[in-house]
Amino acid sequence: MQAVVDRVIRSFTSKHPVALRDSMSDAESKAARDEATEFATQLLDNYKGQLAQRGLKPD
């Protein structure tokens, strides 16, 4: 999970300013959206897995 957190931090700290982002081509924009979607899906899958593990542990 720490690797995922580190990746989120890197993604927020290494983004281009808005002015540069506006000049991105359609292909670059689509690639960025696809990467963000894949990353969000991975985060949700990790979270679901953690919830499932918590549900299986006896108290």
Side-chain angles (χ1 to χ4, degrees), residues 2-27:
Q2 185 62 42
V4 173
V5 172
D6 291 341
R7 186 174 171 193
V8 170
I9 291 169
R10 280 194 313 272
S11 72
F12 282 112
T13 58
S14 66
K15 293 295 179 195
H16 299 290
V18 173
L20 292 176
R21 201 172 46 221
D22 290 341
S23 65
M24 290 174 62
S25 71
D26 288 341

Side-chain angles (χ1 to χ4, degrees):
M1 186 66 175
Q2 185 62 42
V4 173
V5 172
D6 291 341
R7 186 174 171 193
V8 170
I9 291 169
R10 280 194 313 272
S11 72
F12 282 112
T13 58
S14 66
K15 293 295 179 195
H16 299 290
V18 173
L20 292 176
R21 201 172 46 221
D22 290 341
S23 65
M24 290 174 62
S25 71
D26 288 341
E28 289 171 326
S29 295
K30 182 181 181 336
R33 283 191 308 272
D34 289 348
E35 182 180 347
T37 300
E38 180 182 336
F39 182 67
T41 301
Q42 180 184 4
L43 284 175
L44 288 172
D45 287 343
N46 288 344
Y47 183 66
K48 287 191 300 186
Q50 289 179 355
L51 288 177
Q53 287 178 349
R54 289 180 192 164
L56 296 176
K57 291 182 182 177
D59 289 329

